[in-house]
Structures are given as C-alpha cells and as structure tokens.
Amino acid sequence: MQNFQETGLRNELLDAITEMGFETPSPIQSKTIPHILSTDQDLVALAQTGTGKTAAFGLPILHRIDPKSKNAQLLILSPTRELCIQIATEMERFLKYMGDVKVVSVYGGAPIDSQIRAIKRGAQVIVGTPGRTIDLLNRRVLNFSNINWLVLDEADEMLNMGFKEDLNTILSSTSDERQTLLFSATMPKEIQNIADNYMTNPLTIKMGKRNVASDDVKHFYYLVHGSDRYETIKRVADMNPDIYGIIFSRTRAEAKDIAEKLQADGYNADALHGELSQGQRDQVMNRFRNKQLKLLVATDVAARGLDVNELTHVINYNLPDDSEVYVHRSGRTGRAGNKGISVAIVSNRDVNRIKDIERFIGKKFEKQLVPGGDEVCKARLFSLMSRVENVDINEEQIAPFMEEITAQFAEMSREELIKHFVSVEFNQILSYYKNARDLNIQERKQRDRRDKENSKFTRFYINLGEENEGFNKLKMIGMINDNLPKRKVEIGKIDILQKFSFFEVDSNYENDVLDAFSNLNFGESKVLVEKKKGKERSGGFKGNRRGGSGGGFRGNRRSGGGGGGSYPRNGEGRKPRYRG
C-alpha cells in the first residue's frame, strides 16, 4: 500500500487525513487497515507507542461505522486519562467531514455528569479509561451488549496498572459478536490470557523484530557509583544545553526527589507521579509539551499518554527490570525522523543488565565517560558563542540605545568586552565546576567465591521509616555517604519499613557508622542507630539492589516507644519495597 488513496477508505476520511498531512501509511497501518476493512476476525497487534496505532484501528472502523445509529458501536479502552483524551481528539479530527458520528471520552478526574449528558445525546464512539467505564456501566449509562468493535490500546500497561479485573468485567459485558482489536507494546502472559479467553482465532501482527530498538536512537551508558547518579544527570544536562528529555525512575518518591533537587539547582524540571492531582498533572504535562520544562522526571506508568516527538534524550536513572520496558522507554526519543539518545546511568552491579538488554534489543551500548568540569564548561561556552552568533538582531528596536551602549563600553578593548560578556553568562557554571571531581569508576571484575565469602556486612537498625516525611532509600544512602569518613564505603541491603528500617554497611566501618550516627537528627527526630545482633552477612555489593526481606531485629529499643522486644520481619506484615 503506497498511499492512503489505495485503502478504499470513504472520501470524508481521506479528505480529513489529507488535511492532517497523512500521506503514506505507516507499517502498522498498512497491515491493519486492510484487515479491519475486509474481515471481522479478531486482531492482536504488537507495536510500540508512536507508530500510528490510532489511525491503524480508527480509520477502518470509522469507515464501517453506521452514522444513522446513535448507539455506541465502538469502545476504545486506554490506560490513562491523557491517552484517552489524545485518542478521542485524534478520532474527532478523522471525523471532521463525518458530522453525524460523535465521540465521547470518559475518564476520571472530570465531572461524570457532563460525560453522562454527552452519552445520552448519542455517541457511536466511546473512548474510556477502565475505571470510569466500569462506573458508567454500573450506573447503566453505558450498554455494550451490542457494540461491534472493542479496541484495547496499550493493553500491557492497563494490566501493569492493575486493571485486570476491570478489563475482565468490561469484556464480559460486551457482545460475543464483536470484533476485538488488541494493541500492545509487549506480549506478557496476561495479554495472552486475554487473547485466549476473550478473542476468537485472532490474527497476530508483529511489527518488525519485536524487541529491536529504533535505528534512530543511540544507546549510551555511564558507569558511576550509585550515590553519583544525580550528579551525572546534572552533567549530562549541562553538557547538552538544548536537552529536552524524560528521566525515568523506579518509584514516584524517587521521581519527586530528583525533580526537587533539579529545581533547587536551577533546572527547568518537574516530576510526573501518582501523588499529583489531575489538575497538577495536566499542568505539568502541558508545560512539558510547550517546552517550558526541559526535563521531566517520571515513572513508566506516569509517563503513559505523553506523546512528544522532539525528545532529544531519555535518561534511565535506574535500569528497568524488564528489557521490554527499556525498549519502550528508549522508543520515546528518535521519533518522526529525529535522532535521539538513550542514556543509562549504571553502577557495577548493573553492568550485566546492560549486556542482557543488548542481547534483547540486538544493539550495543556505547560506554561513555561522564564529562569532567572542563568539558562541561567548554560545551557551554561554545553553545553560548553559537547563540550569540546566530541571534536575530532587531535593528529598529535597539537603534535608539546604541549611542549610549557604545559610550558605556568605549574604554574597553574588543578582548575585554568579550571577557566581560562571557563572564556575565558564565561565572556561575565556572565556579560550580572548578576542581570538579571525576565521577567515572572502573568496571569491577566478577569476584570469585572466596572473595565473596570474605566480604562481610554488618546490619544496623535505624528508627526512621516511611512515616518520617522525606525519608526513603535515597535519603538513607545519602546519610551513609555524607556522614562516614570515606564516601565509597560498600553498602549492602537497605529495607525501608513503615516505622523503622535496616541497612547494611561493610563491617570494617562498623564503629564509624555507630559514631557517625550518634549525634544526628532527621527533621525533629533524634536518629537512633543500633547494630543488629547476630552473624554478619557475607557476599555484598556496592550500591543498591532490589529484592530481599527486611530481616529481624532483637534487642533493647532506646527510643520510639515500647522498650525491648522483637520487631516483625517485614514491619507490620508489610512487604519491604526494596532492599538496597
């Protein structure tokens, strides 16, 4: 299929997409449009975000829809409010010349009454998030017993976000005669279960090699200590003055912490996480789309629905556990013919993950050195020179001031004027990077078993936990690094529980830990650190890793209420969120 004219779509749709600039169908559109136009067979399409999926299912279904019937004929489910709105907006643009077909989007965070009124006025197309769709089904406002098409967009993310039961409920409420179209970036077991239980002999389309990353994206990694991840982000940003990117973190607490640090250091940055109200979330996303924000810190789930084609960088503050998630992250840059860079900030314990991802995506990462202070300053200086050289000069507006300006600088030589001009823009960054330390570390060779057995850790109890505002795993690492005499002390597991926590440190620094934490406060709380009774654990690592249980602590408790006794292994029966 060379162009959309060959698809056989009705003229009203062709006129609309021509105005939108559609010329040649994307690979996913070339595969799905003829299928949906010609058959009612179910479809599973595996394709990454940004490949034109909305047009791939939207155009052929809108071609077949019955404008005379005001009942819901097409239901599109998406994981987030933002993606829901995005799909509905795109569908309305396709329908510019089909005025009898109406689209209603239903999602949380907006008044349900107005959505109910819109549905009752008649809508052939419903685009919804699972939660609000269930709500409207329960109110009997929506009835899907006779719909012809059901589209599950970003199906893997709907499952990741906990919508499995909602999807089952919605799927069960729809007609057995419907055509089901499932679009997903990945094909985990749960997606296969949906296909097995709710779809009939579906055709599966895989776009290219399923796990291969875009050829327009370069993959770099920096090898640093875990405690230097944030400083590495700053150097990447400073080295690239025109950076426009997303920083991916594991948790919303970590995203919030990184964004707050960036803001305090003067960067145009903000976070996207689950604690934001819908209004706050919309504000952050609009500022980012408008490039008022240059850096957005987000978790994978929070970034869903954010579709931006001009991103220069994706930065992995932590590598994801799932290699397919890395493919999805890196695919957010290098779009629409643009080139992009995916950066991974890793410590020695992550090097094997880099190798795993390389095998998965069929591409090599290039190890780069974190730029030093001189390199950053040079890059910023040349960026400034380029901006000055290429700035548009408004002769008419500055002409009235030129005589006074010239007189002001009459005593300065050309060289002195340049020095003064550069210093105005440059003194702060020069001062910051003066004597900047080298963040790069050597890749550690795998130790043999005897080395691991000889590496021992002491486990400590600390009377701080999730209940202490601002205390988290990153804060614990910072407290260790900031208060011990040597910053590169090897750290073992860290378990953050509700009212207290545990951490492990190289046993050679056992007394240093007890001394360093003996006179510390965290906010208004006096910090109490005690050595856990029992054998030391062998076989540690530098930095932090996921997994593991909290471990018990038994002994006399000197603060926090209740005297001595035994602390529960995982803190009030809760799972530990991380260890180290």
Side-chain angles (χ1 to χ4, degrees), residues 217-259:
V217 179
K218 292 183 178 179
H219 304 267
F220 299 145
Y221 77 94
Y222 298 110
L223 185 61
V224 300
H225 289 296
S227 57
D228 287 329
R229 292 179 192 272
Y230 174 71
E231 183 64 29
T232 303
I233 285 179
K234 290 178 60 177
R235 294 205 188 176
V236 171
D238 289 341
M239 192 74 180
N240 299 275
D242 296 324
I243 192 170
Y244 178 48
I246 300 178
I247 301 168
F248 281 99
S249 66
R250 283 187 183 277
T251 67
R252 64 187 183 187
E254 192 173 62
K256 184 178 178 182
D257 184 59
I258 296 167

Side-chain angles (χ1 to χ4, degrees), residues 33 38 50 147 268 274 308 404 420:
I33 291 175
S38 61
I147 66 164
N268 291 328
V308 180
E404 292 183 31
H420 278 260

